[in-house]
Amino acid sequence: MDVKEVFHMNGGLGENSYAQNSSLQKKASDMVKHITLESLEETYVSMKPKSIGIADLGCSCGQNTLSTIRELVEVVDETTRKFLNIPPPEYRIYLNDLPTNDFNAIFKILPDFYTELNNERHRRGHKFDSSVFIAGYPGTFYGRLFPNKCLHFIYSSFSLHWLSRVPPGLYDKQGKSINNGSLYISKSSPLEVSKAYFEQFQEDFSLFLRSRSKELIVGGRMVLILLGRRDRSHGDVTQEKVDQYDTHFYAPSKNELEEEVKKETSFEIDRFEMFEIERNSKACMSHGTVVARAVRAIQESMISHHFGEEILDNLFETYGRMIDEEMVVEDIRPVSFIIVLRKL
């Protein structure tokens, strides 16, 4: 299965859309928003460009996308007004995701976004006007996307744990999975499975870093938020009776990420922090249901392509129930990382 041709978040605004089921990602990005905004502010103050290039890699669709962009624009606006007393820069915003992404859903809400942004600017007493140019930029970020040295700041939230493909090392010469019916890495998986996932991560992340090092100007920064794991072990993953479906997901450890950055040599790590997302006890639906809907909004395109749409409702209803049952036994808190890299 070609990931680039099949994989995408559920578009639109329906019950199973990513736009309606991405509250967990929003909560996580908000937890470390101060780091993101501080990094952009430091980047801008050190350069003071008249035209600033900002890219959101793996932007998906929905309000999360534009709320992040609005916050990035506002922090630079406020920096110019409060501390520098100069006109804000021209903003070049590039929204990137795979070509299968629902870019139309973003474009449809752009007029409201511009109106709200300008109203907020006037409310804050800005004396200067500046242009905000937003464009869709389809393509995989595992490779070049932009011209040389055109970007000052790159942001990517909950995208880099998705690999460019299912690791080819998971299959024997006959094309049969060697992963013992598991969707990912489990204690019953052969050692070759962990090795295949790790090697695919190394290939992808090193290519990502090399590509971005050419597109960022010296002193530019990247803020990367992604799922990870506490150490080099993977622990237990729920077993499924599936022989030919494997996911293109990898949660790296802190050491694995640091080693790839060190090998690439173009970036210095400004900050590297781990954080956990706590469940919302006041939510109107169970935590398992929230997680199951979020996973469905992300994985539905792949699962329905492989198994058919008829299994989806029962599959994710069962999945949500299993999570709730497990949460009674143990408080499950996925680990996330935020990494700030500065171009040398």
Side-chain angles (χ1 to χ4, degrees):
M1 165 184 335
D2 189 338
V3 169
K4 296 189 294 296
E5 297 293 329
V6 178
F7 183 57
H8 61 84
M9 309 296 107
N10 283 352
L13 298 172
E15 180 181 353
N16 296 318
S17 67
Y18 183 82
Q20 298 295 333
N21 295 284
S22 51
S23 60
L24 292 175
Q25 293 91 325
K26 173 64 173 172
K27 183 176 182 179
S29 61
D30 281 349
M31 288 176 64
V32 292
K33 179 171 65 176
H34 63 289
I35 297 177
T36 300
L37 299 183
E38 286 170 8
S39 299
L40 175 58
E41 183 178 14
E42 291 170 3
T43 303
Y44 175 74
V45 169
S46 67
M47 302 177 185
K48 302 181 186 64
K50 292 185 178 180
S51 178
I52 186 170
I54 299 173
D56 183 344
L57 305 185
C59 67
S60 188
C61 56
Q63 291 295 338
N64 282 5
T65 302
L66 294 183
S67 66
T68 298
I69 296 304
R70 178 175 172 176
E71 289 165 350
L72 296 176
V73 170
E74 287 178 349
V75 75
V76 175
D77 275 359
E78 285 296 283
T79 299
T80 61
R81 184 178 72 88
K82 287 184 177 181
F83 306 110
L84 302 177
N85 195 31
I86 60 175
E90 168 189 270
Y91 296 90
R92 293 174 283 112
I93 310 294
Y94 306 104
L95 303 180
N96 158 260
D97 213 313
L98 293 173
T100 48
N101 184 55
D102 188 1
F103 284 101
N104 283 337
I106 300 176
F107 299 151
K108 287 177 181 178
I109 58 178
L110 276 180
D112 289 340
F113 167 82
Y114 286 124
T115 298
E116 292 170 4
L117 178 62
N118 288 330
N119 289 341
E120 182 63 20
R121 282 173 155 178
H122 293 150
R123 188 187 70 78
R124 292 175 181 242
H126 284 280
K127 299 178 183 178
F128 306 101
D129 290 325
S130 69
S131 298
V132 179
F133 300 100
I134 299 179
Y137 231 79
T140 175
F141 50 54
Y142 293 123
R144 288 295 301 274
L145 286 167
F146 307 101
N148 287 342
K149 300 178 181 178
C150 71
L151 297 176
H152 299 82
F153 190 79
I154 292 173
Y155 176 79
S156 181
S157 182
F158 290 100
S159 296
L160 277 166
H161 42 248
W162 295 108
L163 302 173
S164 65
R165 59 179 177 172
V166 175
L170 296 181
Y171 304 99
D172 60 21
K173 293 181 179 179
Q174 287 72 43
K176 184 178 179 181
S177 175
I178 64 171
N179 201 14
N180 298 334
S182 294
L183 299 180
Y184 188 49
I185 305 169
S186 70
K187 286 188 176 180
S188 66
S189 298
L191 181 61
E192 290 80 7
V193 170
S194 296
K195 184 172 182 283
Y197 271 104
F198 178 57
E199 289 178 348
Q200 188 63 52
F201 158 75
Q202 286 182 305
E203 177 184 319
D204 285 346
F205 193 57
S206 63
L207 178 57
F208 176 88
L209 292 175
R210 291 198 306 274
S211 300
R212 306 294 82 78
S213 72
K214 293 181 174 65
E215 297 161 354
L216 272 172
I217 67 171
V218 173
R221 285 177 172 84
M222 288 199 294
V223 173
L224 311 177
I225 304 171
L226 69 158
L227 290 171
R229 68 183 195 279
R230 295 181 183 278
D231 51 40
R232 290 183 179 272
S233 65
H234 286 269
D236 291 317
V237 177
T238 301
Q239 299 283 313
E240 299 286 346
K241 294 181 180 178
V242 181
D243 292 325
Q244 295 299 324
Y245 181 82
D246 294 283
T247 185
H248 63 297
F249 170 89
Y250 186 78
S253 69
K254 184 174 186 290
N255 286 339
E256 289 170 351
L257 287 163
E258 288 176 332
E259 286 170 5
E260 292 306 312
V261 173
K262 183 178 180 180
K263 283 193 296 185
E264 204 283 325
T265 73
S266 296
F267 295 95
E268 182 174 75
I269 299 176
D270 276 357
R271 297 183 72 165
F272 197 140
E273 297 187 15
M274 182 187 77
F275 63 101
E276 299 176 343
I277 308 172
E278 296 183 1
R279 56 176 165 169
N280 184 3
S281 59
K282 297 181 180 179
C284 60
M285 62 182 70
S286 74
H287 182 71
T289 301
V290 172
V291 172
R293 289 190 175 189
V295 173
R296 178 171 183 169
I298 296 168
Q299 278 282 289
E300 180 171 316
S301 62
M302 297 286 285
I303 293 174
S304 62
H305 177 82
H306 188 80
F307 296 106
E309 296 181 359
E310 62 275 5
I311 74 165
L312 293 172
D313 290 341
N314 288 336
L315 173 66
F316 285 103
E317 181 180 342
T318 301
Y319 180 47
R321 186 170 63 250
M322 290 173 64
I323 293 173
D324 285 332
E325 291 171 354
E326 187 64 26
M327 291 291 288
V328 174
V329 179
E330 180 182 3
D331 187 12
I332 304 171
R333 296 185 184 182
V335 170
S336 298
F337 295 132
I338 181 168
I339 316 165
V340 182
L341 302 178
R342 180 167 50 87
K343 171 70 185 302
L344 298 174

